[in-house]
Amino acid sequence: MDLSLRKVALAASCLLFASQLLAEPKRPECIAPASPGGGFDLTCKLAQSALINEKLLTKPMRVTYMPGGVGAVAYNAVVAQRPADAGTLVAWSSGSLLNLAQGKFGRFDENAVRWLAAVGTSYGAIAVKSDSPYKNLDDLVQALKKDPSKVVIGSGGTVGSQDWMQTALIAKAAGINPRDLRYVALEGGGEIATALLGGHIQVGSTDISDSMPHIQSGDMRLLAVFANERLDEPEMKDIPTAKEQGYDIVWPVVRGFYLGPKVSDEDYAWWKNAFDKLLASEDFAKLRDQRELFPFAMTGPELDTYVKKQVADYKMLAKEFGLIQ
């Protein structure tokens, strides 16, 4: 390459680097729309670590908490009060989409935000304390058939939430009216684990990512994971699926981020480019694996299409259970 071409190439590189620096959000923040310790917290902290590790952000993204309505408070706050804030990501999960399908986020629907990225998936699970008398899913079902009022189930959110839906599907498969089950509504996986270990509930309808630290410590057991087959991880391979126990229930818990509705196309493109790079990284794959998440990578328009279809599918499921008209 001659000297003049080198100068042109160097100038172009400098301009590209400068534009990337200019586009980087000044005060990046990830809102976890629940209390610390659950899946939303995990999702934000995964991005916080990975974006710095991959040098996609030059300063760490702070994580803040905005519990309420299993995502509803954060959704409304961002759409109504911070719609153009390019530095604010909000964590979402499949449970967020289920709540949107039922109108639980108030006047705003699935078209109110800019869906940015999905970075991994977990799977729903049924947890008990390690000394629970329920040794498998059928033990639990038999207890529910005998007297559903005697089994206190903790779930993230109220009737119609993702965690509620998991136990409703078990009840349906067993010929039990889901409305007869006894629920305690909690704010995410962190509170479910605390209530279960404290003896305030007997069963936790949760997901495997939230549960694994307590499984590894020996405090909790999982009666079932709602995956198609046993998960190919050393610490998970002995956890039975609901399907192998005769209950044909699969419930993936996809996790990701959205931005406010008025974030500029330029800022949105910067974030999309950052996550595209992140999701292609082997280091990110290792970090995701450490957080007990499985591969699920989707950004931009492809994710937007996926989200809209999931919401439509969840509306049909909600109608089946009489949750919406």
Side-chain angles (χ1 to χ4, degrees), residues 105-181:
F105 281 13
R107 60 195 174 103
F108 299 119
D109 64 11
E110 67 273 17
N111 300 300
V113 300
R114 304 197 72 173
W115 301 99
L116 176 62
V119 297
T121 187
S122 182
Y123 292 93
I126 298 295
V128 294
K129 283 182 71 174
S130 56
D131 60 357
S132 169
Y134 311 130
K135 304 302 181 186
N136 53 49
L137 203 51
D138 206 51
D139 285 349
L140 174 60
V141 167
Q142 295 309 315
L144 291 172
K145 281 183 173 180
K146 185 176 181 181
D147 187 351
S149 68
K150 293 287 180 66
V151 183
V152 184
I153 303 169
S155 65
T158 55
V159 170
S161 71
Q162 177 169 245
D163 294 341
W164 181 90
M165 198 67 76
Q166 292 175 171
T167 51
L169 289 168
I170 292 173
K172 179 187 173 186
I176 303 168
N177 185 344
R179 299 283 185 170
D180 291 337
L181 301 183

Side-chain angles (χ1 to χ4, degrees), residues 265-308:
D265 289 345
E266 179 185 22
D267 289 322
Y268 181 88
W270 187 92
W271 278 113
K272 180 184 181 302
N273 181 57
F275 275 98
D276 283 338
K277 290 178 180 177
L278 195 67
L279 291 166
S281 160
E282 290 185 9
D283 288 338
F284 172 75
K286 293 175 184 175
L287 202 59
R288 181 193 59 218
D289 187 60
Q290 290 170 9
R291 302 305 200 276
E292 313 295 352
L293 289 176
F294 295 85
F296 191 101
M298 201 175 284
T299 63
E302 183 186 13
L303 176 64
D304 187 77
T305 299
Y306 169 84
V307 165
K308 305 297 172 53

Side-chain angles (χ1 to χ4, degrees), residues 46-58:
L46 172 61
Q48 180 189 50
S49 300
L51 288 165
I52 281 290
N53 289 353
E54 294 290 326
K55 298 181 171 55
L56 295 167
L57 284 176
T58 56

Side-chain angles (χ1 to χ4, degrees), residues 205-222:
S205 182
T206 181
D207 82 58
I208 197 164
S209 297
D210 293 345
S211 306
M212 286 314 297
H214 307 289
I215 303 299
Q216 291 168 326
S217 70
D219 294 326
M220 279 168 44
R221 286 187 290 108
L222 292 185

